[in-house]
Amino acid sequence: DGVILAVAGISRMGLSDRIACAIDVADMVPAVGQGAIGVEVRQGDERARTLCRAIACTETEACVMAERHILRELEGGCQVPIGAFARREGDTCILDAVVLSLDGTRQARAHKEASLADTPRRQRSPEASAQHGEASESDLADVFMSLAERALATLREQEAEKILEEIRGTGARDAAAQNPRTRVYLVGAGPGDMGLMTLKGLSLVQRADIIVYDYLANPALLVHARPDAELIDVGKKGFSTHIGQEAINA
């Protein structure tokens, strides 16, 4: 048996020696913005903006903005398989991007690199220039955005947008109609407070043919199930359960 987990979390728990294999970016490009933490502040709250800027990582920001630029230009979102990963290794800026068909049989890939040492720098003050020639915030943003544009050009040459159009368009819907499959959704039980249930989650409960739940689910949640829906209680409280995992999967 095996499980795929984030390396960062495993390392923080001191279990790095348990990692059998770290998946290379060449094999699986992560989704946009993975590992980055964004902080949202109120519009016009300059004090909060100043505090956040003091702890901001300009390199991470440049990388994430480049990744998001690719996602925005391709009009992607959570429902389409688009990956992008930008990072800096020494003086080299690197960006990988991929677009896949839903079944993974078609793909468009791009790998771009640029050396900061060979990149023209913006005009800077003598104080900034004296810092051993280190790249400024603007330099990093320019380089990574340039990589994003180059990656987009390569993806488009490989018909990435055609792949995405087929996913969004009638072709994908027709294929789904010809080969109907059961869809399984995971709806979080949260802290048991129905007031925190999302509209999407409630809609799924109301439309579901079968609902599998355990002791964490608020009984008030099941009131919204269809009268003809099949309700399956799998128990799973603590270390006890009256239905095994294999039966649940089946």
Side-chain angles (χ1 to χ4, degrees):
D1 295 336
V3 63
I4 297 178
L5 300 170
V7 170
I10 297 299
S11 299
R12 279 196 293 269
M13 292 188 294
L15 300 175
S16 299
D17 59 315
R18 302 289 298 275
I19 299 175
C21 175
I23 301 175
D24 192 88
V25 175
D27 298 319
M28 184 183 294
V29 180
V32 167
Q34 295 301 294
I37 298 175
V39 180
E40 185 174 356
V41 301
R42 292 173 299 178
Q43 185 176 6
D45 191 339
E46 293 304 320
R47 180 174 180 274
R49 288 175 61 87
T50 300
L51 291 173
C52 289
R53 178 54 60 186
I55 61 173
C57 175
T58 56
E59 182 177 318
T60 299
E61 182 177 350
C63 291
V64 172
M65 293 303 291
E67 295 170 10
R68 287 174 60 85
H69 180 67
I70 291 176
L71 189 68
R72 182 171 55 252
E73 288 295 308
L74 294 176
E75 299 181 5
C78 297
Q79 304 301 318
V80 292
I82 298 176
F85 179 43
R87 68 273 191 201
R88 177 182 176 183
E89 297 180 1
D91 255 357
T92 303
C93 296
I94 308 169
L95 189 148
D96 286 277
V98 65
V99 174
L100 299 168
S101 60
L102 291 179
D103 60 5
T105 58
R106 299 171 59 198
Q107 60 179 283
R109 287 183 175 270
H111 175 87
K112 302 298 177 182
E113 297 185 8
S115 172
L116 286 171
D118 300 332
T119 302
R121 306 287 175 85
R122 291 190 181 189
Q123 186 66 37
R124 284 175 279 165
S125 66
E127 292 80 6
S129 300
Q131 297 178 3
H132 308 289
E134 186 174 339
S136 68
E137 177 180 348
S138 298
D139 291 333
L140 284 172
D142 289 347
V143 172
F144 277 111
M145 197 58 68
S146 174
L147 290 179
E149 289 291 350
R150 289 167 52 195
L152 280 168
T154 298
L155 293 174
R156 285 167 173 151
E157 289 173 1
Q158 299 175 31
E159 299 187 330
E161 289 174 320
K162 184 176 180 180
I163 294 175
L164 295 173
E165 286 173 4
E166 291 176 356
I167 292 175
R168 303 186 190 102
T170 56
R173 290 196 294 270
D174 290 344
Q178 294 171 8
N179 182 26
R181 295 176 294 178
T182 300
R183 292 190 177 184
V184 177
Y185 294 91
L186 299 179
V187 178
D193 185 350
M194 279 298 296
L196 300 178
M197 170 64 68
T198 65
L199 294 177
K200 176 69 173 179
L202 184 59
S203 173
L204 292 172
V205 170
Q206 292 170 334
R207 293 186 287 115
D209 296 311
I210 302 173
I211 298 177
V212 179
Y213 66 98
D214 62 14
Y215 84 102
L216 290 174
N218 188 326
L221 175 67
L222 303 178
V223 173
H224 298 278
R226 283 174 17 201
D228 60 338
E230 181 180 357
L231 305 181
I232 303 176
D233 179 5
V234 297
K236 296 181 77 73
K237 182 175 183 180
F239 294 96
S240 64
T241 177
H242 61 264
I243 297 183
Q245 189 62 51
E246 291 185 2
I248 294 174
N249 294 343

